[in-house]
Amino acid sequence: AYPEMAQALSQIATMQENAMLDEFDNLISFARDELDADRNSFVTNVSTLDVQVRRADSLVISLLSDSYSHYGQIENYRVFHGSNYDTQSGKELMLNDVATVNNDLAQAVETELTTSMWAGDFYSETAVEDYFANTPYDGFSWTIDYLGVTFYFASGDLSDDGMLTATVPFAKYPELFNA
């Protein structure tokens, strides 16, 4: 029903498949190097990609990519990345297409974050506001679902407490969202 979106999803699937095939080649190379060096010191290496559909309707397709890698002595690496598309055109949506990106949105995100963590865990009292002020529209990791917009923060973005998420509900903050 949406040929432009179907084409965009096909391209995304091909890119993700190729990225994981490259990752597979890397894992094979790591294993060969480790086995050639010392057959008794093999370390398990892991790389996964999980893609979740957060919303799919006649307005928006929203995908959350959850990437995880662990390469022996190298630190664990986990990243969430949201991709949001206009279903009609297949074009990727920027955050400012969906919400008014300003201090009010930053405050709403902080309010939602502090329902599950202590505000004193942020790097500073203005950590969330500073993040919003210093991040370009295409630098936010977010998804849109049926109830609101969820923001994903990597460890180190706002605090050292690991990955953080905050959902800003449409019903609670209608003034922040575009029609």
Side-chain angles (χ1 to χ4, degrees):
Y2 306 101
E4 290 86 359
M5 188 70 246
Q7 183 178 7
L9 287 174
S10 177
Q11 289 173 349
I12 292 164
T14 299
M15 290 186 312
Q16 288 180 334
E17 181 178 2
N18 288 338
M20 290 310 292
L21 288 171
D22 288 345
E23 189 68 5
F24 177 77
D25 289 342
N26 289 337
L27 292 171
I28 295 295
S29 176
F30 292 154
R32 282 189 182 125
D33 290 348
E34 288 181 18
L35 288 173
D36 286 344
D38 182 0
R39 295 206 180 270
N40 297 318
S41 69
F42 182 78
V43 177
T44 300
N45 296 293
V46 176
S47 181
T48 63
L49 172 63
D50 181 34
V51 180
Q52 302 169 17
V53 177
R54 302 291 294 162
R55 179 172 171 167
D57 59 25
S58 63
L59 298 176
V60 175
I61 303 289
S62 184
L63 306 172
L64 176 63
S65 299
D66 179 356
S67 302
Y68 172 77
S69 299
H70 176 75
Y71 303 127
Q73 301 300 322
I74 299 173
E75 211 173 293
N76 290 346
Y77 174 76
R78 187 171 186 196
V79 174
F80 288 129
H81 176 74
S83 302
N84 306 280
Y85 301 91
D86 175 273
T87 303
Q88 301 293 324
S89 68
K91 296 194 184 310
E92 188 164 9
L93 297 169
M94 294 294 112
L95 182 57
N96 61 326
D97 293 328
V98 175
T100 303
V101 183
N102 60 21
N103 285 342
D104 293 339
L105 181 59
Q107 185 60 48
V109 168
E110 183 173 353
T111 298
E112 297 305 315
L113 281 169
T114 56
T115 63
S116 61
M117 68 179 287
W118 182 56
D121 288 343
F122 293 125
Y123 286 134
S124 70
E125 288 183 18
T126 61
V128 178
E129 187 176 306
D130 293 344
Y131 184 87
F132 273 77
N134 296 316
T135 302
Y137 293 143
D138 63 352
F140 288 93
S141 185
W142 61 282
T143 57
I144 185 170
D145 62 29
Y146 299 99
L147 301 176
V149 171
T150 301
F151 293 87
Y152 304 88
F153 301 96
S155 180
D157 285 348
L158 303 175
S159 76
D160 290 327
D161 283 352
M163 300 181 76
L164 303 171
T165 61
T167 300
V168 179
F170 299 133
K172 189 173 177 181
Y173 303 97
E175 72 282 0
L176 297 177
F177 298 102
N178 302 329

